[in-house]
Amino acid sequence: MNELPGGRRSGGGGPLWLDGATATELQRAGMSVDGPWWTNRAMNTEADRTRLRGIHQGYLGAGAQVITANTFRCNLRALTRLGLFDAGLAWMVHAAVGVAQSAVRAVQDGRADGPRDAGRPLVAGPLVAGSVGPVEDCYRPDLVPPDDELRAEHRWLATELTRVGVDLVLIETMNSEREARIALEEVRRAGARAWVGFVCDADARLLSGEKLAEAAAAAERDGAEAVLVNCTAPAGSETALRALRDACSGPIGAYPNIEDRAGIPRSAHVDRHVPAALGPDEFADLIARWDAEFALDVVGGCCGTTPEHLAAARDRLARSGR
């Protein structure tokens, strides 16, 4: 396993394996993830939570070493729009993390398959990451609220994630440096480890137009253990990885969006399963090439990826000795 925080450039083995998409796997299983509930719908009933747990366990069986709890849409703004108040707000966060933690416990207890290395279970148990996304829309930097609202909302979620015992916080799909840095500040103030992921255009710029290199360097200075590019198409991710490798002294990584979104506007939320543009073998080729060029510290998948994609990529790197 990669030894963060130094990363592979300090001699720490192969990449750390993040899981793949949750929302598109829920869609593939027939669940609507449209607003206002979004992916929070997966916590509504025991049957829904069982389905979500099965997705986590699928990724663990494929080799994920970090499972991302379904808290991407569990910010105050999204939850209050559902009519939830007080204890109900925190319950959604704790329920999502609890489902992920129960999937990990099943692996640790031998009731489900988990990540393996050369046919043997990894010594270290899988980690659970709390997901923190933009409080408005990950594809709409024009909607990023004022700083005081961002601080209050990210502080609340960071506090709840810390209370429920996540191993780290994954601040992801950030479209502006301002929100990313405020979220990171609040997560660090809550006492949690943090990784930061940015969503980018094809030219290594955030959707806000800011340069990824500058935002990444700032996040690293502010205490991010790893800086990543996520929910970005493969070509844009590759350009972003070059910028990250030049800008960052510590761990970097990627988990790309591989949906076939031809004809679908980037900012459009589609409430149906969109097929992947890359099959598992093609995804494995992509990750192997990136790993050879960039020595990735963290790797996984975003929208469109499945446990089969992750397993293929892990197997490909294992056969090459990485």
Side-chain angles (χ1 to χ4, degrees), residues 85-221:
F85 299 96
D86 300 328
L89 298 169
W91 184 91
M92 293 293 282
V93 177
H94 290 229
V97 175
V99 170
Q101 290 171 332
S102 69
V104 169
R105 284 195 298 272
V107 168
Q108 293 171 331
D109 295 343
R111 292 179 283 115
D113 290 336
R116 308 179 81 81
D117 185 8
R120 295 168 296 183
L122 290 162
V123 174
L127 305 177
V128 172
S131 171
V132 171
V135 301
E136 276 290 353
D137 192 302
C138 51
Y139 301 129
R140 294 283 306 277
D142 57 302
L143 297 180
V144 176
D147 289 5
D148 58 341
E149 295 179 27
L150 289 174
R151 290 187 190 284
E153 295 186 45
H154 284 300
R155 182 179 304 126
W156 177 84
L157 183 51
T159 299
E160 293 304 325
L161 289 171
T162 303
R163 283 176 176 164
V164 77
V166 297
D167 298 299
L168 63 97
V169 174
L170 179 59
I171 301 165
E172 58 180 341
T173 326
M174 285 287 149
N175 56 40
S176 72
E177 179 181 333
R178 181 166 63 90
E179 183 165 9
R181 295 184 70 182
I182 288 174
L184 176 58
E185 180 182 349
E186 295 303 330
V187 168
R188 298 288 292 143
R189 180 175 285 128
R193 303 168 56 192
W195 299 352
V196 176
F198 293 100
V199 56
C200 297
D201 277 327
D203 56 356
R205 289 181 180 269
L206 311 190
L207 301 191
S208 61
E210 299 164 293
K211 292 181 179 179
L212 172 62
E214 295 176 0
E220 192 174 66
R221 287 194 305 270

Side-chain angles (χ1 to χ4, degrees), residues 266-287:
R266 180 168 199 166
S267 61
H269 293 278
V270 181
D271 193 28
R272 61 177 173 82
H273 180 249
V274 177
L278 302 178
D281 288 341
E282 295 167 303
F283 181 73
D285 290 341
L286 179 73
I287 297 302

Side-chain angles (χ1 to χ4, degrees), residues 17-41:
W17 289 90
L18 188 60
D19 57 5
T22 297
T24 54
E25 281 297 272
L26 289 170
Q27 288 178 319
R28 193 159 71 111
M31 181 179 290
S32 170
V33 296
D34 200 9
W37 280 92
W38 307 109
T39 50
N40 292 325
R41 185 173 279 109

Side-chain angles (χ1 to χ4, degrees), residues 298-309:
V298 179
V299 64
C302 200
C303 303
T305 55
T306 68
E308 290 75 21
H309 287 88

